[in-house]
Amino acid sequence: MIKPSELPLNKDGSVYHLNLLPEDIAETIILVGDPQRVARVSQFFDSVEVKKEKREFVTHTGIKNGKRLTVLSSGIGTDNIDIVINELDALVNVDLKTREIKEEKQSLRFVRLGTSGTVNPKINAGDFVASQYTAGFDGLMCFYKDHKNSNFQEKFLKNFKYDTIRSMVYTSECSQEILDIFKEDTVVGNTGSLSGFYGPQGREVRLKALDNDFLVHLHECGLDNFEMETSAIYSFAKLLGHKALSLNCIIANRTTGEFLEDYKKSVDEMIEMAISKL
């Protein structure tokens, strides 16, 4: 039995942070970072049957073309993904009344719809990037005994020059099954999930970043775009038996200086495209 200290529940039996019950979610879950983007996704549903929120975690579940879908906001960062994926998995694979792990496991589909920047001069602002491989730089998966890096790990680290960061790097990969659904409408690339927005992504305000060429070096090692969640989504999906794909609308190319002024229009186009294929 899983102790209450390990999996806390609310008084109504819902999982602690997400405030959700098993019947509140669909098998296919769209993950977004911004809580306000949840309504921007669910506006394309034919109907919405569930609306719940707690902290930065907002959830809408509804129907589109006869298929049940859930859209949920994770907030920013892999630490939030640690909460989101573990609690979503518990909703389908733990009996929350007896606190026993179910013998028959259910596999969920996670599709992240986000925004990101790139340093790949061949990727334009407004492109949709589907992440095949991902590298995380936060060390999160070092806390999970059974995590195994993907076959991208050796290739990425072969020429990686930052020894102080090397030990924190972990890699994973998408679900090929879901990638096949989207690859004709996207640029297939590899995504780095950085542990911060400023220094880790080479930005300087009052603090000097480790290296202004850090992102360029990551591209030389095999990464194309950069955000803050995909590495954890893929890693947890693999560990727990789920399937995941990350789609990002590129809003800036930091090599060419190109910036997508009206990026919300492009994000809506990505949302509509994704929903139509799911």
Side-chain angles (χ1 to χ4, degrees), residues 12 23 43 50 74 79-80 94 107 134 154 171 191-192 202 210 230 240 242:
D12 64 353
E23 59 265 28
Q43 70 175 323
V50 175
S74 66
D79 52 343
N80 275 17
V94 176
S107 178
T134 179
E154 183 178 355
T171 62
T191 297
L210 174 67
T230 297
L240 293 166
H242 305 299

Side-chain angles (χ1 to χ4, degrees), residues 199 203-212:
R203 294 183 175 91
E204 298 181 347
V205 182
R206 292 186 61 222
L207 296 175
K208 187 168 180 60
L210 174 67
D211 189 333
N212 291 333

Side-chain angles (χ1 to χ4, degrees), residues 3-106:
K3 297 178 182 178
S5 59
E6 307 304 294
L7 180 63
L9 303 176
N10 298 310
K11 289 183 179 180
D12 64 353
S14 61
V15 287
Y16 183 71
H17 296 91
L18 303 186
N19 195 35
L20 295 173
L21 295 164
E23 59 265 28
D24 292 332
I25 65 169
E27 182 181 333
T28 298
I29 299 173
I30 298 168
L31 297 173
V32 297
D34 185 354
Q36 295 185 3
R37 193 172 292 161
V38 172
R40 289 180 61 195
V41 174
S42 67
Q43 70 175 323
F44 295 105
F45 292 177
D46 298 326
S47 61
V48 178
E49 62 189 54
V50 175
K51 287 187 177 182
K52 289 188 174 183
E53 63 180 274
K54 185 178 179 182
R55 304 184 187 184
E56 63 265 61
F57 307 114
V58 178
T59 304
H60 290 182
T61 295
I63 303 294
K64 178 65 176 180
N65 295 331
K67 174 136 184 149
R68 197 165 186 249
L69 299 171
T70 291
V71 54
L72 185 154
S73 61
S74 66
I76 298 174
T78 57
D79 52 343
N80 275 17
I81 298 300
D82 178 76
I83 292 171
V84 169
I85 303 297
N86 274 296
E87 291 194 3
L88 287 173
D89 178 77
L91 286 173
V92 296
N93 290 319
V94 176
D95 186 321
L96 299 183
K97 294 181 179 179
T98 65
R99 293 183 167 276
E100 298 287 347
I101 297 174
K102 296 179 181 179
E103 289 188 12
E104 186 173 340
K105 306 299 188 298
Q106 181 178 346

Side-chain angles (χ1 to χ4, degrees), residues 32-227:
V32 297
D34 185 354
Q36 295 185 3
R37 193 172 292 161
V38 172
R40 289 180 61 195
V41 174
S42 67
Q43 70 175 323
F44 295 105
F45 292 177
D46 298 326
S47 61
V48 178
E49 62 189 54
V50 175
K51 287 187 177 182
K52 289 188 174 183
E53 63 180 274
K54 185 178 179 182
R55 304 184 187 184
E56 63 265 61
F57 307 114
V58 178
T59 304
H60 290 182
T61 295
I63 303 294
K64 178 65 176 180
N65 295 331
K67 174 136 184 149
R68 197 165 186 249
L69 299 171
T70 291
V71 54
L72 185 154
S73 61
S74 66
I76 298 174
T78 57
D79 52 343
N80 275 17
I81 298 300
D82 178 76
I83 292 171
V84 169
I85 303 297
N86 274 296
E87 291 194 3
L88 287 173
D89 178 77
L91 286 173
V92 296
N93 290 319
V94 176
D95 186 321
L96 299 183
K97 294 181 179 179
T98 65
R99 293 183 167 276
E100 298 287 347
I101 297 174
K102 296 179 181 179
E103 289 188 12
E104 186 173 340
K105 306 299 188 298
Q106 181 178 346
S107 178
L108 298 171
R109 293 200 306 171
F110 299 114
V111 177
R112 166 178 154 78
L113 299 180
T115 58
S116 74
T118 182
V119 291
N120 185 339
K122 296 181 180 180
I123 296 178
N124 300 314
D127 284 345
F128 305 147
V129 172
S131 309
Q132 182 173 22
Y133 291 101
T134 179
F137 298 85
D138 51 276
L140 175 62
M141 301 317 296
C142 296
F143 291 90
Y144 288 91
K145 182 179 179 180
D146 294 328
H147 170 73
K148 294 181 180 179
N149 291 310
S150 71
N151 57 17
F152 181 63
Q153 181 87 357
E154 183 178 355
K155 176 183 177 181
F156 175 75
L157 289 178
K158 182 177 181 181
N159 297 310
F160 188 73
K161 66 181 183 180
Y162 298 92
D163 290 338
T164 57
I165 298 174
R166 178 181 288 267
S167 63
M168 296 187 288
V169 176
Y170 60 93
T171 62
S172 192
E173 60 195 302
C174 73
S175 160
Q176 187 64 46
E177 176 184 314
I178 305 180
L179 178 61
D180 288 342
I181 297 172
F182 290 99
K183 63 184 180 182
E184 290 185 2
D185 297 283
T186 61
V187 176
V188 177
N190 301 320
T191 297
S193 295
L194 284 303
S195 55
F197 181 79
Y198 288 95
Q201 297 189 33
R203 294 183 175 91
E204 298 181 347
V205 182
R206 292 186 61 222
L207 296 175
K208 187 168 180 60
L210 174 67
D211 189 333
N212 291 333
D213 295 325
F214 184 55
L215 293 188
V216 174
H217 179 64
L218 295 187
H219 175 51
E220 292 170 347
C221 291
L223 298 181
D224 297 294
N225 67 309
F226 308 95
E227 41 82 275

